[in-house]
Amino acid sequence: MDREPTISRDQSRTARQGRGPSRGLGRDVLVASICGGVVALMVGASYAAVPFYNWFCRATGFNGTTQVATSAPATGPIARKIAVRFDSNVAPGLPWKFEPEQSEIEVNIGQVVTVFYTVTNQAARTTAGQAAYNVAPLTVGSYFQKINCFCFTEQTMAPGEKREMPVVFYVDPSIANDHENDGLNTITLSYTFYPVRDPVVKPLASGEDDKRKGNL
């Protein structure tokens, strides 16, 4: 009887070794693809997190983020008073002098108040900045309502220009119903101006005078 051909151990080992690199290469490609997908997902999530975080802070007052109002409170001011302090800062790289005209005022809760900050561009060139803001204690951010503020838009200053910038605000009367703030006597409103490298150019219509520079 004829014997079937057999494969030696050396031949079998050689065959397995020949298949090994291709399998390893396929596995490496799969792992690299998965890693690349994870990195892309993380990058996309990081970009999406910034606007989401800003929206969340504005909606909830988280981290001392103030709110935006369109009008005075319907209930009007109440008898309870509170002190509001004003803080100003300028980040490195922006040659501005920035300070409040008053360091502190006392207001009735619910009273609409207008205060001014003074900004001076100390550079011999046009510069632009954007103000970041919050209030302390951080828990009162949802009650601090701004009707108008220079912080809503970028500010562009001509060389040596000095400008008064208004803030119109009130403390929401509903804070009186929050018993966690029963002992609250002072709120600090803080701003920090940061440089804007590529400011948005907003030309004025012909015939508008320099007084418009102070309006928001």
Side-chain angles (χ1 to χ4, degrees):
M1 179 180 296
D2 295 336
R3 298 179 61 185
E4 295 181 358
T6 59
I7 301 176
S8 66
R9 291 182 179 180
D10 292 341
Q11 290 174 322
S12 177
R13 186 182 300 113
T14 301
R16 288 197 302 270
Q17 289 176 349
R19 293 192 299 267
S22 61
R23 289 183 178 179
L25 180 60
R27 184 169 58 251
D28 291 344
V29 171
L30 177 61
V31 171
S33 299
I34 294 174
C35 291
V38 171
V39 170
L41 181 62
M42 292 176 65
V43 171
S46 66
Y47 278 101
V50 173
F52 176 79
Y53 178 79
N54 290 338
W55 168 85
F56 176 78
C57 289
R58 289 194 303 270
T60 64
F62 179 75
N63 203 30
T65 303
T66 60
Q67 306 301 292
V68 178
T70 57
S71 62
T75 58
I78 62 177
R80 179 179 168 186
K81 292 181 178 291
I82 195 166
V84 181
R85 295 175 179 170
F86 305 101
D87 178 53
S88 59
N89 306 276
V90 179
L94 187 62
W96 287 8
K97 181 180 180 182
F98 174 49
E99 57 189 2
E101 292 189 348
Q102 298 170 280
S103 60
E104 181 177 329
I105 61 173
E106 186 178 61
V107 300
N108 288 86
I109 292 177
Q111 176 186 356
V112 177
V113 182
T114 301
V115 298
F116 291 87
Y117 279 75
T118 301
V119 184
T120 304
N121 179 14
Q122 298 179 315
R125 69 184 189 281
T126 298
T127 53
Q130 174 74 59
Y133 52 89
N134 71 339
V135 292
L138 301 181
T139 54
V140 303
S142 59
Y143 299 107
F144 200 96
Q145 303 281 345
K146 292 179 181 176
I147 298 176
N148 201 0
C149 182
F150 59 84
C151 58
F152 292 164
T153 58
E154 294 179 5
Q155 301 295 326
T156 301
M157 303 280 288
E161 180 183 358
K162 182 178 181 179
R163 187 185 304 173
E164 289 184 341
M165 296 184 177
V167 183
V168 183
F169 71 90
Y170 65 88
V171 180
D172 196 316
S174 63
I175 196 174
N177 300 323
D178 185 351
H179 296 298
E180 292 185 0
N181 289 300
D182 284 347
L184 180 67
N185 297 315
T186 303
I187 295 174
T188 300
L189 174 62
S190 180
Y191 290 99
T192 300
F193 259 113
Y194 291 91
V196 175
R197 302 302 180 190
D198 298 310
V200 177
V201 178
K202 298 178 180 179
L204 296 176
S206 59
E208 291 181 322
D209 57 29
D210 291 339
K211 290 187 293 184
R212 288 291 302 275
K213 296 179 180 179
N215 297 332
L216 300 178

